[in-house]
Amino acid sequence: MGYITTYTEKRIDPLQPDPELFDVRDFAHALSLICRGNGHVKQFLSVGQHCVWCAKEAAARGYSKRVILACLLHDASEAYMSDVPRPLKEVLPEYVRAEEKIINLIYTKFLGSSLTEEEQILVKKVDDDLLYFDLRELLGITDLGEEPKLKIKQDYTVRPFEEVEQEYLELYEQWSQ
């Protein structure tokens, strides 16, 4: 079996994905159930919640609709490939290539093209700034250097996955218009 079956019952081969099968409902559902930090956190925080915060932070910074939507979608490949911690990605070049292929196909389908270098930098900055607070709040790490300035407030209260899934879908609808 060279495919996974998604929440919306599509069969996707993560190594040879058909972009026509990508569905934002699959992203919202799967990411709302995947835990940040490979589960090594003091309390649950979903990748979906992180993506919602990234989109809201990008909007609060005044970024374009395209960058805001890219922030919401930036981890969508994990709906098909799961989440692999950054240190492992450094030694799994084939995984990284497959992940890059999927995310670029996702961006092309939902944004019309891959991200420009400038857009990639903006998305990465938002992602890294929020990671700082996740490491501090969810792992108690305090030697992280200078605290980034955020425009939004995160609430680390555990939320039901259905709420996160719904918010993800609502933000997608809002910013994809």
Side-chain angles (χ1 to χ4, degrees), residues 106-136:
I106 288 168
Y107 287 148
T108 299
K109 177 175 180 173
F110 293 98
L111 301 175
S113 67
S114 294
L115 299 183
T116 66
E117 188 175 330
E118 180 182 340
E119 290 168 332
Q120 289 176 32
I121 290 168
L122 293 174
V123 171
K124 179 104 171 88
K125 177 72 171 132
V126 169
D127 188 27
D128 286 346
D129 286 353
L130 286 162
L131 174 62
Y132 174 99
F133 293 96
D134 289 353
L135 293 172
R136 188 180 74 192

PDB file of all heavy atoms in Angstrom, residues 106-136:
ATOM      1  N   ILE A 106       1.270  22.270  -2.211  1.00  0.00           N
ATOM      2  CA  ILE A 106       0.166  22.862  -1.439  1.00  0.00           C
ATOM      3  C   ILE A 106       0.097  24.362  -1.702  1.00  0.00           C
ATOM      4  O   ILE A 106      -0.974  24.904  -1.983  1.00  0.00           O
ATOM      5  CB  ILE A 106       0.323  22.547   0.064  1.00  0.00           C
ATOM      6  CG1 ILE A 106       0.026  21.064   0.314  1.00  0.00           C
ATOM      7  CG2 ILE A 106      -0.580  23.449   0.919  1.00  0.00           C
ATOM      8  CD1 ILE A 106       0.412  20.564   1.698  1.00  0.00           C
ATOM      9  N   TYR A 107       1.244  25.041  -1.613  1.00  0.00           N
ATOM     10  CA  TYR A 107       1.256  26.483  -1.882  1.00  0.00           C
ATOM     11  C   TYR A 107       0.779  26.775  -3.303  1.00  0.00           C
ATOM     12  O   TYR A 107       0.009  27.712  -3.532  1.00  0.00           O
ATOM     13  CB  TYR A 107       2.643  27.075  -1.663  1.00  0.00           C
ATOM     14  CG  TYR A 107       3.074  27.195  -0.222  1.00  0.00           C
ATOM     15  CD1 TYR A 107       4.418  27.067   0.124  1.00  0.00           C
ATOM     16  CD2 TYR A 107       2.169  27.457   0.807  1.00  0.00           C
ATOM     17  CE1 TYR A 107       4.832  27.191   1.438  1.00  0.00           C
ATOM     18  CE2 TYR A 107       2.574  27.575   2.116  1.00  0.00           C
ATOM     19  CZ  TYR A 107       3.920  27.445   2.431  1.00  0.00           C
ATOM     20  OH  TYR A 107       4.326  27.565   3.730  1.00  0.00           O
ATOM     21  N   THR A 108       1.228  25.979  -4.265  1.00  0.00           N
ATOM     22  CA  THR A 108       0.820  26.201  -5.650  1.00  0.00           C
ATOM     23  C   THR A 108      -0.685  26.025  -5.804  1.00  0.00           C
ATOM     24  O   THR A 108      -1.351  26.847  -6.456  1.00  0.00           O
ATOM     25  CB  THR A 108       1.596  25.259  -6.593  1.00  0.00           C
ATOM     26  OG1 THR A 108       2.994  25.554  -6.477  1.00  0.00           O
ATOM     27  CG2 THR A 108       1.153  25.450  -8.037  1.00  0.00           C
ATOM     28  N   LYS A 109      -1.236  24.983  -5.183  1.00  0.00           N
ATOM     29  CA  LYS A 109      -2.686  24.753  -5.305  1.00  0.00           C
ATOM     30  C   LYS A 109      -3.485  25.850  -4.609  1.00  0.00           C
ATOM     31  O   LYS A 109      -4.452  26.359  -5.156  1.00  0.00           O
ATOM     32  CB  LYS A 109      -3.071  23.395  -4.725  1.00  0.00           C
ATOM     33  CG  LYS A 109      -4.590  23.183  -4.790  1.00  0.00           C
ATOM     34  CD  LYS A 109      -5.042  21.826  -4.356  1.00  0.00           C
ATOM     35  CE  LYS A 109      -6.568  21.765  -4.475  1.00  0.00           C
ATOM     36  NZ  LYS A 109      -7.101  20.454  -4.227  1.00  0.00           N
ATOM     37  N   PHE A 110      -3.081  26.230  -3.385  1.00  0.00           N
ATOM     38  CA  PHE A 110      -3.913  27.130  -2.590  1.00  0.00           C
ATOM     39  C   PHE A 110      -3.521  28.601  -2.703  1.00  0.00           C
ATOM     40  O   PHE A 110      -4.324  29.474  -2.375  1.00  0.00           O
ATOM     41  CB  PHE A 110      -3.919  26.686  -1.123  1.00  0.00           C
ATOM     42  CG  PHE A 110      -4.607  25.370  -0.927  1.00  0.00           C
ATOM     43  CD1 PHE A 110      -3.882  24.200  -0.847  1.00  0.00           C
ATOM     44  CD2 PHE A 110      -5.986  25.288  -0.860  1.00  0.00           C
ATOM     45  CE1 PHE A 110      -4.513  22.969  -0.684  1.00  0.00           C
ATOM     46  CE2 PHE A 110      -6.636  24.072  -0.697  1.00  0.00           C
ATOM     47  CZ  PHE A 110      -5.893  22.906  -0.612  1.00  0.00           C
ATOM     48  N   LEU A 111      -2.304  28.885  -3.173  1.00  0.00           N
ATOM     49  CA  LEU A 111      -1.854  30.279  -3.317  1.00  0.00           C
ATOM     50  C   LEU A 111      -1.560  30.651  -4.768  1.00  0.00           C
ATOM     51  O   LEU A 111      -1.272  31.812  -5.049  1.00  0.00           O
ATOM     52  CB  LEU A 111      -0.589  30.527  -2.483  1.00  0.00           C
ATOM     53  CG  LEU A 111      -0.682  30.291  -0.982  1.00  0.00           C
ATOM     54  CD1 LEU A 111       0.683  30.470  -0.329  1.00  0.00           C
ATOM     55  CD2 LEU A 111      -1.694  31.220  -0.356  1.00  0.00           C
ATOM     56  N   GLY A 112      -1.556  29.677  -5.650  1.00  0.00           N
ATOM     57  CA  GLY A 112      -1.294  29.957  -7.055  1.00  0.00           C
ATOM     58  C   GLY A 112       0.145  29.749  -7.472  1.00  0.00           C
ATOM     59  O   GLY A 112       0.435  29.642  -8.657  1.00  0.00           O
ATOM     60  N   SER A 113       1.077  29.706  -6.505  1.00  0.00           N
ATOM     61  CA  SER A 113       2.493  29.464  -6.798  1.00  0.00           C
ATOM     62  C   SER A 113       3.232  29.199  -5.489  1.00  0.00           C
ATOM     63  O   SER A 113       2.695  29.446  -4.401  1.00  0.00           O
ATOM     64  CB  SER A 113       3.124  30.671  -7.500  1.00  0.00           C
ATOM     65  OG  SER A 113       3.173  31.791  -6.622  1.00  0.00           O
ATOM     66  N   SER A 114       4.453  28.715  -5.620  1.00  0.00           N
ATOM     67  CA  SER A 114       5.311  28.560  -4.442  1.00  0.00           C
ATOM     68  C   SER A 114       5.610  29.932  -3.865  1.00  0.00           C
ATOM     69  O   SER A 114       5.409  30.955  -4.525  1.00  0.00           O
ATOM     70  CB  SER A 114       6.627  27.873  -4.825  1.00  0.00           C
ATOM     71  OG  SER A 114       6.392  26.558  -5.240  1.00  0.00           O
ATOM     72  N   LEU A 115       6.124  29.956  -2.645  1.00  0.00           N
ATOM     73  CA  LEU A 115       6.468  31.225  -2.017  1.00  0.00           C
ATOM     74  C   LEU A 115       7.730  31.810  -2.617  1.00  0.00           C
ATOM     75  O   LEU A 115       8.655  31.079  -2.981  1.00  0.00           O
ATOM     76  CB  LEU A 115       6.688  31.028  -0.511  1.00  0.00           C
ATOM     77  CG  LEU A 115       5.516  30.509   0.318  1.00  0.00           C
ATOM     78  CD1 LEU A 115       5.902  30.456   1.795  1.00  0.00           C
ATOM     79  CD2 LEU A 115       4.273  31.349   0.124  1.00  0.00           C
ATOM     80  N   THR A 116       7.774  33.123  -2.682  1.00  0.00           N
ATOM     81  CA  THR A 116       9.008  33.800  -3.060  1.00  0.00           C
ATOM     82  C   THR A 116       9.988  33.687  -1.889  1.00  0.00           C
ATOM     83  O   THR A 116       9.590  33.341  -0.767  1.00  0.00           O
ATOM     84  CB  THR A 116       8.767  35.289  -3.356  1.00  0.00           C
ATOM     85  OG1 THR A 116       8.378  35.935  -2.129  1.00  0.00           O
ATOM     86  CG2 THR A 116       7.704  35.486  -4.429  1.00  0.00           C
ATOM     87  N   GLU A 117      11.233  34.008  -2.130  1.00  0.00           N
ATOM     88  CA  GLU A 117      12.234  33.967  -1.060  1.00  0.00           C
ATOM     89  C   GLU A 117      11.846  34.927   0.074  1.00  0.00           C
ATOM     90  O   GLU A 117      11.959  34.587   1.247  1.00  0.00           O
ATOM     91  CB  GLU A 117      13.612  34.328  -1.617  1.00  0.00           C
ATOM     92  CG  GLU A 117      14.730  34.129  -0.602  1.00  0.00           C
ATOM     93  CD  GLU A 117      16.098  34.371  -1.199  1.00  0.00           C
ATOM     94  OE1 GLU A 117      16.288  34.138  -2.414  1.00  0.00           O
ATOM     95  OE2 GLU A 117      16.983  34.801  -0.439  1.00  0.00           O
ATOM     96  N   GLU A 118      11.349  36.103  -0.283  1.00  0.00           N
ATOM     97  CA  GLU A 118      10.936  37.081   0.733  1.00  0.00           C
ATOM     98  C   GLU A 118       9.760  36.543   1.565  1.00  0.00           C
ATOM     99  O   GLU A 118       9.744  36.683   2.784  1.00  0.00           O
ATOM    100  CB  GLU A 118      10.540  38.396   0.064  1.00  0.00           C
ATOM    101  CG  GLU A 118      10.090  39.459   1.060  1.00  0.00           C
ATOM    102  CD  GLU A 118       9.639  40.749   0.378  1.00  0.00           C
ATOM    103  OE1 GLU A 118      10.000  40.977  -0.788  1.00  0.00           O
ATOM    104  OE2 GLU A 118       8.909  41.503   1.039  1.00  0.00           O
ATOM    105  N   GLU A 119       8.796  35.919   0.901  1.00  0.00           N
ATOM    106  CA  GLU A 119       7.658  35.344   1.621  1.00  0.00           C
ATOM    107  C   GLU A 119       8.109  34.212   2.541  1.00  0.00           C
ATOM    108  O   GLU A 119       7.625  34.095   3.673  1.00  0.00           O
ATOM    109  CB  GLU A 119       6.603  34.836   0.632  1.00  0.00           C
ATOM    110  CG  GLU A 119       5.884  35.944  -0.104  1.00  0.00           C
ATOM    111  CD  GLU A 119       5.058  35.448  -1.268  1.00  0.00           C
ATOM    112  OE1 GLU A 119       5.391  34.390  -1.872  1.00  0.00           O
ATOM    113  OE2 GLU A 119       4.057  36.126  -1.600  1.00  0.00           O
ATOM    114  N   GLN A 120       9.024  33.388   2.056  1.00  0.00           N
ATOM    115  CA  GLN A 120       9.560  32.304   2.885  1.00  0.00           C
ATOM    116  C   GLN A 120      10.208  32.853   4.158  1.00  0.00           C
ATOM    117  O   GLN A 120      10.022  32.305   5.238  1.00  0.00           O
ATOM    118  CB  GLN A 120      10.590  31.485   2.107  1.00  0.00           C
ATOM    119  CG  GLN A 120      10.011  30.623   1.027  1.00  0.00           C
ATOM    120  CD  GLN A 120      11.093  29.906   0.231  1.00  0.00           C
ATOM    121  OE1 GLN A 120      12.137  29.561   0.761  1.00  0.00           O
ATOM    122  NE2 GLN A 120      10.830  29.685  -1.044  1.00  0.00           N
ATOM    123  N   ILE A 121      10.930  33.947   4.022  1.00  0.00           N
ATOM    124  CA  ILE A 121      11.592  34.570   5.174  1.00  0.00           C
ATOM    125  C   ILE A 121      10.556  35.067   6.175  1.00  0.00           C
ATOM    126  O   ILE A 121      10.707  34.871   7.387  1.00  0.00           O
ATOM    127  CB  ILE A 121      12.534  35.711   4.712  1.00  0.00           C
ATOM    128  CG1 ILE A 121      13.744  35.112   3.976  1.00  0.00           C
ATOM    129  CG2 ILE A 121      12.969  36.588   5.884  1.00  0.00           C
ATOM    130  CD1 ILE A 121      14.579  36.129   3.220  1.00  0.00           C
ATOM    131  N   LEU A 122       9.502  35.706   5.697  1.00  0.00           N
ATOM    132  CA  LEU A 122       8.447  36.214   6.586  1.00  0.00           C
ATOM    133  C   LEU A 122       7.746  35.076   7.326  1.00  0.00           C
ATOM    134  O   LEU A 122       7.521  35.158   8.548  1.00  0.00           O
ATOM    135  CB  LEU A 122       7.431  37.045   5.802  1.00  0.00           C
ATOM    136  CG  LEU A 122       7.925  38.355   5.210  1.00  0.00           C
ATOM    137  CD1 LEU A 122       6.847  38.994   4.335  1.00  0.00           C
ATOM    138  CD2 LEU A 122       8.379  39.315   6.297  1.00  0.00           C
ATOM    139  N   VAL A 123       7.404  34.004   6.605  1.00  0.00           N
ATOM    140  CA  VAL A 123       6.731  32.859   7.228  1.00  0.00           C
ATOM    141  C   VAL A 123       7.651  32.213   8.266  1.00  0.00           C
ATOM    142  O   VAL A 123       7.226  31.905   9.386  1.00  0.00           O
ATOM    143  CB  VAL A 123       6.274  31.833   6.167  1.00  0.00           C
ATOM    144  CG1 VAL A 123       5.784  30.541   6.817  1.00  0.00           C
ATOM    145  CG2 VAL A 123       5.198  32.434   5.275  1.00  0.00           C
ATOM    146  N   LYS A 124       8.912  32.030   7.917  1.00  0.00           N
ATOM    147  CA  LYS A 124       9.882  31.406   8.845  1.00  0.00           C
ATOM    148  C   LYS A 124      10.058  32.255  10.098  1.00  0.00           C
ATOM    149  O   LYS A 124      10.153  31.726  11.209  1.00  0.00           O
ATOM    150  CB  LYS A 124      11.224  31.208   8.142  1.00  0.00           C
ATOM    151  CG  LYS A 124      12.304  30.605   9.004  1.00  0.00           C
ATOM    152  CD  LYS A 124      12.516  29.164   8.657  1.00  0.00           C
ATOM    153  CE  LYS A 124      13.721  28.567   9.334  1.00  0.00           C
ATOM    154  NZ  LYS A 124      13.424  28.029  10.643  1.00  0.00           N
ATOM    155  N   LYS A 125      10.088  33.568   9.948  1.00  0.00           N
ATOM    156  CA  LYS A 125      10.247  34.465  11.099  1.00  0.00           C
ATOM    157  C   LYS A 125       9.061  34.341  12.052  1.00  0.00           C
ATOM    158  O   LYS A 125       9.231  34.242  13.272  1.00  0.00           O
ATOM    159  CB  LYS A 125      10.414  35.915  10.617  1.00  0.00           C
ATOM    160  CG  LYS A 125      10.509  36.945  11.723  1.00  0.00           C
ATOM    161  CD  LYS A 125      11.828  36.877  12.447  1.00  0.00           C
ATOM    162  CE  LYS A 125      11.980  38.058  13.391  1.00  0.00           C
ATOM    163  NZ  LYS A 125      12.418  37.652  14.718  1.00  0.00           N
ATOM    164  N   VAL A 126       7.848  34.332  11.509  1.00  0.00           N
ATOM    165  CA  VAL A 126       6.657  34.167  12.350  1.00  0.00           C
ATOM    166  C   VAL A 126       6.714  32.813  13.047  1.00  0.00           C
ATOM    167  O   VAL A 126       6.494  32.714  14.265  1.00  0.00           O
ATOM    168  CB  VAL A 126       5.364  34.310  11.515  1.00  0.00           C
ATOM    169  CG1 VAL A 126       4.141  33.880  12.322  1.00  0.00           C
ATOM    170  CG2 VAL A 126       5.195  35.744  11.024  1.00  0.00           C
ATOM    171  N   ASP A 127       7.024  31.771  12.301  1.00  0.00           N
ATOM    172  CA  ASP A 127       7.111  30.407  12.852  1.00  0.00           C
ATOM    173  C   ASP A 127       8.141  30.347  13.980  1.00  0.00           C
ATOM    174  O   ASP A 127       7.865  29.824  15.069  1.00  0.00           O
ATOM    175  CB  ASP A 127       7.472  29.447  11.720  1.00  0.00           C
ATOM    176  CG  ASP A 127       7.405  27.981  12.106  1.00  0.00           C
ATOM    177  OD1 ASP A 127       6.642  27.610  13.021  1.00  0.00           O
ATOM    178  OD2 ASP A 127       8.104  27.180  11.465  1.00  0.00           O
ATOM    179  N   ASP A 128       9.324  30.882  13.746  1.00  0.00           N
ATOM    180  CA  ASP A 128      10.384  30.863  14.758  1.00  0.00           C
ATOM    181  C   ASP A 128      10.027  31.713  15.976  1.00  0.00           C
ATOM    182  O   ASP A 128      10.339  31.332  17.114  1.00  0.00           O
ATOM    183  CB  ASP A 128      11.713  31.335  14.166  1.00  0.00           C
ATOM    184  CG  ASP A 128      12.347  30.299  13.253  1.00  0.00           C
ATOM    185  OD1 ASP A 128      11.926  29.126  13.267  1.00  0.00           O
ATOM    186  OD2 ASP A 128      13.273  30.679  12.500  1.00  0.00           O
ATOM    187  N   ASP A 129       9.397  32.862  15.764  1.00  0.00           N
ATOM    188  CA  ASP A 129       9.015  33.710  16.897  1.00  0.00           C
ATOM    189  C   ASP A 129       8.013  32.986  17.794  1.00  0.00           C
ATOM    190  O   ASP A 129       8.118  33.034  19.027  1.00  0.00           O
ATOM    191  CB  ASP A 129       8.422  35.038  16.414  1.00  0.00           C
ATOM    192  CG  ASP A 129       9.488  35.988  15.861  1.00  0.00           C
ATOM    193  OD1 ASP A 129      10.705  35.687  15.966  1.00  0.00           O
ATOM    194  OD2 ASP A 129       9.094  37.038  15.319  1.00  0.00           O
ATOM    195  N   LEU A 130       7.054  32.288  17.201  1.00  0.00           N
ATOM    196  CA  LEU A 130       6.088  31.540  18.003  1.00  0.00           C
ATOM    197  C   LEU A 130       6.724  30.316  18.650  1.00  0.00           C
ATOM    198  O   LEU A 130       6.355  29.951  19.770  1.00  0.00           O
ATOM    199  CB  LEU A 130       4.878  31.159  17.161  1.00  0.00           C
ATOM    200  CG  LEU A 130       3.961  32.353  16.875  1.00  0.00           C
ATOM    201  CD1 LEU A 130       3.031  32.065  15.718  1.00  0.00           C
ATOM    202  CD2 LEU A 130       3.182  32.745  18.098  1.00  0.00           C
ATOM    203  N   LEU A 131       7.704  29.707  17.981  1.00  0.00           N
ATOM    204  CA  LEU A 131       8.424  28.578  18.566  1.00  0.00           C
ATOM    205  C   LEU A 131       9.102  28.990  19.871  1.00  0.00           C
ATOM    206  O   LEU A 131       9.121  28.227  20.845  1.00  0.00           O
ATOM    207  CB  LEU A 131       9.463  28.026  17.580  1.00  0.00           C
ATOM    208  CG  LEU A 131      10.374  26.927  18.124  1.00  0.00           C
ATOM    209  CD1 LEU A 131       9.584  25.692  18.536  1.00  0.00           C
ATOM    210  CD2 LEU A 131      11.449  26.581  17.090  1.00  0.00           C
ATOM    211  N   TYR A 132       9.636  30.194  19.915  1.00  0.00           N
ATOM    212  CA  TYR A 132      10.282  30.708  21.126  1.00  0.00           C
ATOM    213  C   TYR A 132       9.333  30.562  22.321  1.00  0.00           C
ATOM    214  O   TYR A 132       9.710  30.049  23.377  1.00  0.00           O
ATOM    215  CB  TYR A 132      10.666  32.184  20.918  1.00  0.00           C
ATOM    216  CG  TYR A 132      11.219  32.860  22.145  1.00  0.00           C
ATOM    217  CD1 TYR A 132      12.602  33.007  22.304  1.00  0.00           C
ATOM    218  CD2 TYR A 132      10.390  33.362  23.147  1.00  0.00           C
ATOM    219  CE1 TYR A 132      13.115  33.640  23.430  1.00  0.00           C
ATOM    220  CE2 TYR A 132      10.899  33.987  24.271  1.00  0.00           C
ATOM    221  CZ  TYR A 132      12.264  34.124  24.403  1.00  0.00           C
ATOM    222  OH  TYR A 132      12.781  34.730  25.523  1.00  0.00           O
ATOM    223  N   PHE A 133       8.104  31.001  22.155  1.00  0.00           N
ATOM    224  CA  PHE A 133       7.137  30.967  23.260  1.00  0.00           C
ATOM    225  C   PHE A 133       6.674  29.542  23.558  1.00  0.00           C
ATOM    226  O   PHE A 133       6.440  29.197  24.713  1.00  0.00           O
ATOM    227  CB  PHE A 133       5.958  31.902  22.972  1.00  0.00           C
ATOM    228  CG  PHE A 133       6.371  33.334  22.973  1.00  0.00           C
ATOM    229  CD1 PHE A 133       6.683  33.981  21.784  1.00  0.00           C
ATOM    230  CD2 PHE A 133       6.512  34.031  24.165  1.00  0.00           C
ATOM    231  CE1 PHE A 133       7.105  35.313  21.787  1.00  0.00           C
ATOM    232  CE2 PHE A 133       6.943  35.348  24.178  1.00  0.00           C
ATOM    233  CZ  PHE A 133       7.240  35.997  22.981  1.00  0.00           C
ATOM    234  N   ASP A 134       6.567  28.702  22.520  1.00  0.00           N
ATOM    235  CA  ASP A 134       6.222  27.300  22.758  1.00  0.00           C
ATOM    236  C   ASP A 134       7.297  26.626  23.610  1.00  0.00           C
ATOM    237  O   ASP A 134       6.980  25.887  24.546  1.00  0.00           O
ATOM    238  CB  ASP A 134       6.079  26.541  21.435  1.00  0.00           C
ATOM    239  CG  ASP A 134       4.845  26.939  20.647  1.00  0.00           C
ATOM    240  OD1 ASP A 134       4.008  27.704  21.177  1.00  0.00           O
ATOM    241  OD2 ASP A 134       4.721  26.476  19.497  1.00  0.00           O
ATOM    242  N   LEU A 135       8.553  26.861  23.287  1.00  0.00           N
ATOM    243  CA  LEU A 135       9.641  26.258  24.061  1.00  0.00           C
ATOM    244  C   LEU A 135       9.615  26.729  25.515  1.00  0.00           C
ATOM    245  O   LEU A 135       9.823  25.943  26.441  1.00  0.00           O
ATOM    246  CB  LEU A 135      10.996  26.582  23.427  1.00  0.00           C
ATOM    247  CG  LEU A 135      11.250  25.943  22.057  1.00  0.00           C
ATOM    248  CD1 LEU A 135      12.534  26.497  21.445  1.00  0.00           C
ATOM    249  CD2 LEU A 135      11.313  24.426  22.163  1.00  0.00           C
ATOM    250  N   ARG A 136       9.332  27.998  25.700  1.00  0.00           N
ATOM    251  CA  ARG A 136       9.290  28.545  27.058  1.00  0.00           C
ATOM    252  C   ARG A 136       8.071  28.038  27.829  1.00  0.00           C
ATOM    253  O   ARG A 136       8.189  27.577  28.959  1.00  0.00           O
ATOM    254  CB  ARG A 136       9.292  30.076  27.009  1.00  0.00           C
ATOM    255  CG  ARG A 136       9.449  30.700  28.401  1.00  0.00           C
ATOM    256  CD  ARG A 136       9.460  32.200  28.351  1.00  0.00           C
ATOM    257  NE  ARG A 136       8.087  32.645  28.106  1.00  0.00           N
ATOM    258  CZ  ARG A 136       7.758  33.890  27.772  1.00  0.00           C
ATOM    259  NH1 ARG A 136       8.687  34.804  27.619  1.00  0.00           N
ATOM    260  NH2 ARG A 136       6.515  34.227  27.578  1.00  0.00           N
TER     261      ARG A 136
END
